[in-house]
Amino acid sequence: RNKPAAGSSLARADHHGFAHEFQHQVIQDESQEVNCQKCSQIGMTEAQARWSMGICKVFPNFSLIYTMPYSNDAQLLCKTRIDPIIANSPDLLSAINPDLNNSEIKQIGNSFMYFRGTQGNTQAISIPADCIVSDEIDRSSAHILSQYTSRLTHSPYKLRRNFSTPTVDGFGIADKMTTSKRYKYVCKCEFCNYSFVPSYYDHVKIPDFGGDLKEIDKRSLGWLRYKEAKLHCPHCGKTPSLLPEFREWVCENPDDPHDAIGRYISPFDAPMLITPASLVKASTEYKRVSEFINQNLGLTAQDT
């Protein structure tokens, strides 16, 4: 269908085509290893689940292991995400072997997809793999994840996909990002052409409030015009559009010799789903600011 004009009220309200456009670059990346440091509830689990099913359908004699922190997590993912994908795809449904179609393994044509946790030494044993997709690695066992890596030894592909909300610097997904070529989804202000990476604490402003956003709690929320919070360009002070035509992925360390690709996904990368106002309100729901920074902003945070 025709796109509405950039910056128009219809364009800003029409989220159907733009809600998850950032996912395209993540799942279309053909690098052997792709790492994604993300905020929560951004749709990456759904995207990676679909990518995993697709690659098993397209690649013959392919084996993929999808890991989550606990076995129950993996089984729940299979029942609530994978099974509905199959049920709604005649192509996948016709390729599934009914004798190997449960919450631990699925045979798609002559390829296999396994669902495993990371909290037991037996989880990674005796399963050869061409690809390992690891969800929420910061809550997973680093030791067991390293064991899964050995499952790729004899594969010609050796694909890795790691994605997670972060915790602290130097751990989990943040550690993976240090050895990746790191991309951020930069905004170019349509008013002054200034390029910047949107930041909650630096660029979100609430009318008549000049304090620190970290000081806002549930009691003060009712006195603030937080529903009018906007992201402001740090150069001209206007409110720029965050639609795809004003965004581009930019590598912050292009000269580093890393083979892995890393992408940061922030709440501003899904502006039709997550608004500055919703972030302000969400910031008051946590006992610790660090939890808000991890979960809602997709950034590392240290505290006592």
Side-chain angles (χ1 to χ4, degrees), residues 199-235:
S199 167
Y200 174 75
Y201 288 114
D202 294 332
H203 306 143
V204 170
K205 308 296 180 185
I206 301 173
D208 301 327
F209 177 76
D212 189 339
L213 293 177
K214 291 182 180 179
E215 297 174 353
I216 299 174
D217 56 24
K218 286 186 177 181
R219 287 172 294 183
S220 61
L221 195 63
W223 300 98
L224 295 175
R225 297 164 59 187
Y226 78 93
K227 293 182 181 180
E228 301 173 49
K230 301 290 184 184
L231 179 80
H232 290 263
C233 170
H235 185 260

Side-chain angles (χ1 to χ4, degrees), residues 52 189 221 250 300 304:
S52 299
C189 177
L221 195 63
V250 176
T300 56
T304 54

Side-chain angles (χ1 to χ4, degrees), residues 244-265:
E245 53 262 43
F246 301 105
R247 309 293 296 275
E248 66 174 331
W249 287 99
V250 176
C251 181
E252 68 177 12
N253 58 333
D255 296 327
D256 287 359
H258 304 307
D259 293 325
I261 297 297
R263 295 183 188 272
Y264 291 99
I265 305 298

Side-chain angles (χ1 to χ4, degrees), residues 74 136 191 216 275:
E136 295 297 351
F191 301 106
I216 299 174
T275 65

Side-chain angles (χ1 to χ4, degrees), residues 10 33 35 38 45-46 86 142 164 189 196 217 220 226 229 282:
L10 180 59
E33 181 176 341
N35 301 307
K38 65 182 189 67
T45 294
E46 178 77 14
I86 295 172
S164 181
C189 177
F196 66 103
D217 56 24
S220 61
Y226 78 93

Side-chain angles (χ1 to χ4, degrees), residues 125-140:
I125 294 177
S126 302
I127 302 176
D130 296 296
C131 176
I132 299 172
V133 177
S134 295
D135 192 345
E136 295 297 351
I137 68 171
D138 278 52
R139 295 195 299 116
S140 301

Side-chain angles (χ1 to χ4, degrees), residues 21-23 25 183-187 196-198 242-250 264-266 268-270:
E21 81 282 344
F22 64 87
Q23 294 177 347
Q25 285 77 17
Y183 285 81
K184 294 183 178 180
Y185 207 19
V186 172
C187 171
F196 66 103
V197 178
L242 296 178
L243 292 179
E245 53 262 43
F246 301 105
R247 309 293 296 275
E248 66 174 331
W249 287 99
V250 176
Y264 291 99
I265 305 298
S266 86
F268 302 104
D269 299 337

Side-chain angles (χ1 to χ4, degrees), residues 20-38:
H20 298 99
E21 81 282 344
F22 64 87
Q23 294 177 347
H24 299 169
Q25 285 77 17
V26 178
I27 63 176
Q28 290 175 2
D29 197 308
E30 297 182 2
S31 303
Q32 272 194 323
E33 181 176 341
V34 177
N35 301 307
C36 183
Q37 180 176 314
K38 65 182 189 67

